[in-house]
């Protein structure tokens, strides 16, 4: 398995705070059957890319420490870019493993930015493919899951967090992650790991869950083949997404929501 969303690069964001912690995370990932990790530190503003040289240096340090400890995991660099109207692709870490095509993008928690659809349209036409990080966690998609299909149908990709699918963030987020899976909208499942405890570098349990519920072929695409193709900037073989129908305001739905509220 290859994990395309991690905060394992030491001392750069809210993930691994130092090299010792980063190596522990690496050990955890290796023990879990992960063979490749893309380090995706947060890029909150364009000027964060100016520190590119530091990030690459940290990557080399971590690679060396991993090799010295005999941990058989390949490391790559990318980033998790916070969505902004003027995205730049000049940096070697703007796309995952500098593949030139696929990049990981984060939305605000509370809303889907109005400019996202138009911006993605222009980018996709330019062969820059956005991978939306953990859509199941955003209030925008929790309220309007049908928009997730709209994004995928127009060429964006979705990366769900392993923990979300295992219910670590509650039943509502798990339900949405399941819904995305049921509608062929999930192209990657990653750990989004920040440490070895609460947000750990593990995928195996979720791989097994996906294989049991949606089949081994789907699990292999999501955890192994798609990430590999992304690292090389190749063409993905995508399943046909099925639309999520907008929930209509029927009395039945309203009643269900009231019941949920009073639970
Ligand atoms: Fe992240």
């Amino acid at each position: 398995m290859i994990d395309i969303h991690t905060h394992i690069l030491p001392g750069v964001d809210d993930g691994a705070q130092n090299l010792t912690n980063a190596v522990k995370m690496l050990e955890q990932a290796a023990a879990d059957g992960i063979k490749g990790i893309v380090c995706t530190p947060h890029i909150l503003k364009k000027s964060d890319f100016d520190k590119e040289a530091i990030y690459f240096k940290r990557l080399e340090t971590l690679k060396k420490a991993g090799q010295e400890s005999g941990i058989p995991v390949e490391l790559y660099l990318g980033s998790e870019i916070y969505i902004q109207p003027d995205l730049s692709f000049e940096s070697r870490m703007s796309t995952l493993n500098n593949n030139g095509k696929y990049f990981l993008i984060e939305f605000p928690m509370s809303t889907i930015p109005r400019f996202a659809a138009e911006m993605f349209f222009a980018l996709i036409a330019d062969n820059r493919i956005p991978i939306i990080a953990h859509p199941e966690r955003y209030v925008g998609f929790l309220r309007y899951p049908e928009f997730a299909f709209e994004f995928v149908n127009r060429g964006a990709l979705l990366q769900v967090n392993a923990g979300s699918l295992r219910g670590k963030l509650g039943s509502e987020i798990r339900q949405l992650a399941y819904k995305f899976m049921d509608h062929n909208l999930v192209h990657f499942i990653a750990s989004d790991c920040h440490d070895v405890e609460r947000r750990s570098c593990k995928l195996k349990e979720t791989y097994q869950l996906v294989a049991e519920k949606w089949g081994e072929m789907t699990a292999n695409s999501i955890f192994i083949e798609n990430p590999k193709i992304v690292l090389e900037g190749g063409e993905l073989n995508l399943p046909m997404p099925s639309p999520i129908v907008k929930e209509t305001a029927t009395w039945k739905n309203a009643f269900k929501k009231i019941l949920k509220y009073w639970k």
Side-chain angles (χ1 to χ4, degrees):
M1 295 180 287
I2 299 172
D3 195 348
I4 66 155
H5 182 173
T6 70
H7 298 273
I8 191 169
L9 204 63
V12 294
D13 61 9
D14 56 340
Q17 291 308 297
N18 51 50
L19 188 61
T20 314
N21 288 352
V23 172
K24 276 186 195 160
M25 290 165 77
L26 212 50
E27 272 168 354
Q28 185 179 51
D32 200 60
I34 295 169
K35 302 264 183 259
I37 286 182
V38 191
C39 306
T40 52
H42 289 289
I43 293 290
L44 301 177
K45 50 190 186 309
K46 224 161 75 175
S47 61
D48 288 348
F49 281 132
D50 298 345
K51 293 180 276 178
E52 184 192 274
I54 299 170
Y55 289 95
F56 273 101
K57 220 173 149 190
R58 295 270 159 93
L59 178 75
E60 286 313 311
T61 310
L62 183 56
K63 271 185 184 175
K64 208 171 149 229
Q67 280 159 5
E68 278 167 8
S69 304
I71 306 168
V73 177
E74 290 291 331
L75 287 165
Y76 311 91
L77 189 57
S79 55
E80 180 182 14
I81 310 169
Y82 192 76
I83 193 164
Q84 45 216 287
D86 59 338
L87 284 185
S88 159
F89 292 95
E90 279 160 33
S91 167
R92 284 185 296 142
M93 54 188 288
S94 57
T95 56
L96 304 176
N97 190 35
N98 198 22
N99 75 80
K101 183 172 177 177
Y102 301 100
F103 62 99
L104 188 65
I105 189 146
E106 185 181 27
F107 282 4
M109 278 295 160
S110 56
T111 177
I112 300 167
R114 279 175 180 269
F115 62 86
E118 202 177 324
M119 188 175 82
F120 283 3
F121 182 77
L123 286 169
I124 291 164
D126 207 18
N127 209 23
R128 306 271 193 202
I129 313 294
I131 302 174
I132 304 172
H134 41 64
E136 75 285 359
R137 293 182 56 197
Y138 304 135
V139 175
F141 287 121
L142 281 159
R143 286 184 67 187
Y144 307 107
E146 63 273 16
F147 287 163
F149 167 76
E150 298 298 336
F151 274 109
V152 172
N153 201 34
R154 285 163 174 75
L157 304 170
L158 303 188
Q159 174 262 306
V160 159
N161 278 4
S164 301
L165 214 57
R166 294 201 315 274
K168 288 237 171 191
L169 295 170
S171 63
E172 232 178 319
I173 288 175
R174 179 173 57 188
Q175 268 174 31
L176 185 58
Y178 270 54
K179 186 179 268 193
F180 289 163
M181 285 296 302
D182 286 339
H183 286 259
N184 284 342
L185 298 173
V186 181
H187 310 100
F188 310 94
I189 292 174
S191 73
D192 192 8
C193 61
H194 283 66
D195 50 49
V196 285
E197 286 113 28
R198 213 171 58 85
R199 302 171 79 178
S200 58
C201 301
K202 289 183 181 174
L203 293 176
K204 200 198 281 167
E205 204 185 315
T206 317
Y207 172 93
Q208 282 159 352
L209 171 78
V210 170
E212 268 166 38
K213 208 164 161 34
W214 291 279
E216 206 164 328
M217 257 173 70
T218 302
N220 286 343
S221 297
I222 288 175
F223 289 88
I224 303 166
E225 287 146 23
N226 291 352
K228 200 164 165 244
I229 292 168
V230 157
L231 291 182
E232 295 157 359
E235 287 299 319
L236 290 164
N237 187 9
L238 300 173
M240 183 68 83
S242 71
I244 295 180
V245 181
K246 194 175 185 318
E247 212 178 277
T248 45
T250 60
W251 279 109
K252 203 176 146 201
N253 286 339
F255 191 62
K256 263 204 261 173
K257 276 191 179 152
I258 292 166
L259 277 180
K260 206 153 96 188
Y261 179 77
W262 284 108
K263 254 184 206 167

